[in-house]
């Protein structure tokens, strides 16, 4: 193991810390590293995962002793090691960083009930040896160098210095973020290894009562000025919109050498690639966990957790407003317009709901998910988008009778010819993991070649869930967990191309016709389907009302979109079909 450490290899060791000591681990740690310029010690640090940072480390004050060593070690008690300020951030589990080295539970751990203990009483101490990287070449794939005072991304060379944050936008998510950072300050400092401190805020109206005390923060009415001038390592953009103040703020922050965290899917769907390039060129982080599916950590899952897989498909319920409307329509039998008004009254839908109900918001989110899942830029303009305006209570009722739920699904699939991205209402089988996702909840289902299917579900919007995701990004930045915006460097993105309809596979469809109840109608319908080589699986007609209109529902076998479109167009032109046919794809999920 000593040789591995000296060679700069990662080493993960077993559970018993006392045995490690008995085998000379301390000696290993102090073995001079051949690659170290200073020769002050091994470039490999070790720590165990359940260690908590000591109060001294969190306090951020350097020890009185200029060397920082002997006196600080004393704070951890006998037999414990600390690398001292300036050489590794205490309490941080991150590549290139050497936190406190504690052997045996710290006083803090004892107070808190000690570390996790395995059966038989053995502490679950897991040690990792990590190489300290040489000075980063400011590549985006490398973590920031918190150890040196020269890294432009961190103002303070001391690892326990706070991560300073400026927040642009103090609406639902901005205020929620300030609340989480304040209410969870101690917990976050422990998890991040250092405090996360808001220094500046910006919104349009300084006098508005936002229900929180803004006096501790420097106020900026112009978020761009704040992005350039505030004392901040990170600018959090929570203004919204793909252009204007939001875009200018993010660009100014990156130009000023500050990391960016944003919840703005519209901005990233339109300008994500350019902003990723800008961030990468400056070796800065551009984080956006909150931009998709609110509190569900799907960005991190796709970027990191599923990194070993080729993702074949990603699909999800990404718009809570639409899901609330569809759920309420199903539960109450009421029609779309009626439920939309209720959603607006409850604050689930905007005064102008078109972004949500026409599928644009879901398309923005799908663009981000698919870019990350398939490691390639997705062209928003190539995403086929259909909303839920045209859905009727009748379709929802028929879907239930046939064993389906109608959901607005955002689907990205990787095929040899390219990536197919679409947003549309889909009939989801009742045994699908997406069927029971109701109300304002979101869910995402991914298919990876090794992992298979993974399902993520949770609250997709609102102050708490969205702020939770914003703050998770801040904790990652504070820890130096630093990933490229789209999972790989921009130059390594694939360029397969986004194309929708031409490569879409054959699917099953639900088709509802409103027909005059006359003899011969079914013969006409069947003739058109036969001519267009579209095959019918079943047909459903409940009511008979001779001379009046009745709904006729057909389930079609797998068919390509082109013959289907031709058949539907011909059906619509029949004299006996008195309303536009309704066509809904039947999902496979
Ligand atoms: N709300 C959610 O549940 C949710 C969920 C996921 C993602 N998001 C995303 O999070 C972002 C923020 O959403 P939100 O719901 O918090 O929005 P919001 O409530 O409308 O708040 C927007 C904030 O931005 C400020 N602002 C607007 N234009 C500005 C300008 N030109 N200069 C300075 N400040 C300006 C507003 O200032 P004033 O208050 O002074 O008017 C307001 O504080 C959006 O990108 C949204 O898509 C929201």
């Amino acid at each position: 193991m000593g040789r591995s450490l000296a060679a700069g290899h990662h080493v993960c060791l077993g559970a018993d810390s006392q045995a490690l000591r008995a085998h000379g681990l301390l000696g290993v740690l102090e073995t001079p590293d051949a690659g170290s310029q200073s020769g002050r010690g091994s470039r490999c640090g070790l720590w165990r995962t359940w260690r908590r940072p000591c109060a001294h480390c969190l306090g951020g004050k350097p020890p009185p002793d200029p060397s920082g060593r002997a006196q600080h070690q004393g704070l951890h008690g006998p037999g414990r090691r600390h690398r001292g300020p300036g050489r590794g951030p205490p309490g941080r589990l991150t590549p290139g960083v050497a936190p406190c080295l504690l052997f045996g539970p710290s006083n803090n751990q004892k107070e808190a009930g000690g570390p996790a203990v395995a059966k038989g009483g053995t502490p679950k101490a897991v040690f990792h040896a990590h190489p300290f990287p040489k000075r980063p070449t400011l590549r985006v794939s490398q973590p920031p160098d918190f150890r040196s005072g020269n890294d432009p991304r961190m103002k303070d060379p001391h690892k326990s210095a706070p991560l300073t944050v400026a927040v642009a936008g103090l609406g639902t998510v901005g205020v929620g973020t300030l609340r989480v950072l304040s209410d969870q300050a101690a917990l976050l400092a422990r998890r991040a290894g250092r405090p996360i401190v808001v220094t500046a805020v910006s919104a349009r109206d300084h006098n508005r009562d936002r229900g929180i005390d803004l006096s501790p923060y420097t106020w900026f009415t112009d978020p761009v000025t704040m992005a350039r001038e505030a004392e901040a390592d990170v600018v959090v953009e929570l203004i919204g919109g793909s252009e204007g103040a939001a875009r200018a703020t993010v660009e100014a922050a990156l130009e000023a050498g500050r990391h960016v965290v944003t919840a703005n899917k519209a901005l990233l769907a339109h300008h994500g690639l350019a902003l990723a390039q800008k961030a990468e060129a400056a070796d800065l982080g551009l984080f956006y966990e909150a931009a998709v599916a609110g509190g569900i950590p799907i960005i991190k899952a796709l970027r990191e957790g599923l990194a070993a897989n080729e993702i074949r498909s990603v699909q999800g319920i990404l718009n809570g407003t639409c899901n609330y409307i569809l759920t309420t329509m199903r539960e109450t039998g009421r029609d779309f317009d009626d439920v939309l008004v209720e959603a607006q009254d409850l604050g689930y839908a905007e005064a102008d709901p078109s972004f949500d109900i026409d599928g644009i918001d879901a398309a923005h989110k799908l663009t981000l998910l698919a870019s990350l899942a398939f490691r390639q830029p997705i062209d928003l303009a190539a995403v086929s988008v259909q909303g839920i305006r045209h859905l009727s209570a009748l379709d929802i009722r028929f879907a239930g009778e046939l064993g389906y739920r109608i959901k607005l699904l955002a689907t990205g699939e990787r095929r040899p010819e390219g990536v197919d991205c679409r947003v549309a209402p889909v009939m989801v089988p009742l045994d699908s993991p997406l069927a029971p996702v109701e109300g304002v909840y979101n869910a995402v289902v991914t298919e990876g070649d090794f992992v298979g299917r993974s399902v993520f579900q949770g609250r997709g919007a609102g102050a708490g869930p969205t702020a939770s995701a914003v703050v998770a990004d801040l904790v990652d930045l504070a820890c130096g967990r630093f990933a490229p915006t789209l999972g790989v460097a921009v130059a390594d993105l694939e360029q397969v191309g986004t194309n929708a309809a031409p490569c879409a596979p054959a699917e099953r469809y639900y088709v509802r016709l409103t027909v005059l109840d006359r003899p011969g109608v079914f013969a006409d319908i069947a003739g058109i389907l036969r001519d267009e080589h579209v095959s019918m699986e079943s047909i459903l007609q409940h009511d008979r009302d001779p001379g009046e209109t009745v709904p006729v529902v057909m389930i079609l076998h797998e068919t390509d979109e082109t013959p289907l479109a031709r058949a539907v167009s011909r059906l619509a032109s029949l004299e006996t079909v008195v309303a536009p046919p309704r066509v809904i794809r039947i999902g496979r999920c």
Side-chain angles (χ1 to χ4, degrees), residues 132-190:
F132 289 143
K134 297 193 177 97
R135 183 87 184 85
T137 55
L138 290 187
R139 283 254 318 147
V140 73
S141 52
Q142 293 190 349
D145 185 355
F146 289 100
R147 294 174 303 120
S148 100
N150 302 324
D151 192 317
R153 288 165 292 180
M154 293 297 144
K155 303 273 180 203
D156 194 324
H158 291 286
K159 276 60 61 191
S160 51
L163 181 83
T164 49
V165 177
V167 179
L170 296 175
T172 307
V173 185
V175 168
T177 299
L178 292 183
R179 284 221 169 90
V180 173
L181 287 171
S182 156
D183 293 357
Q184 306 279 65
L187 173 149
L188 292 169
R190 280 199 304 278

Side-chain angles (χ1 to χ4, degrees), residues 215-254:
S215 61
Y217 319 123
T218 307
W219 175 270
F220 288 83
T221 304
D222 178 12
V224 177
T225 306
M226 182 182 78
R228 289 199 188 110
E229 297 177 6
E231 185 64 28
D233 300 313
V234 188
V235 172
V236 179
E237 184 278 304
L238 301 170
I239 295 170
S242 61
E243 305 296 335
R247 184 178 177 189
T249 300
V250 170
E251 288 178 346
L254 295 174

Side-chain angles (χ1 to χ4, degrees), residues 21-44:
R21 292 185 71 191
H23 285 87
L25 181 62
L26 295 180
V28 172
L29 284 169
E30 286 163 2
T31 301
D33 167 37
S36 162
Q37 298 292 320
S38 66
R40 280 180 298 181
S42 170
R43 285 174 65 237
C44 295

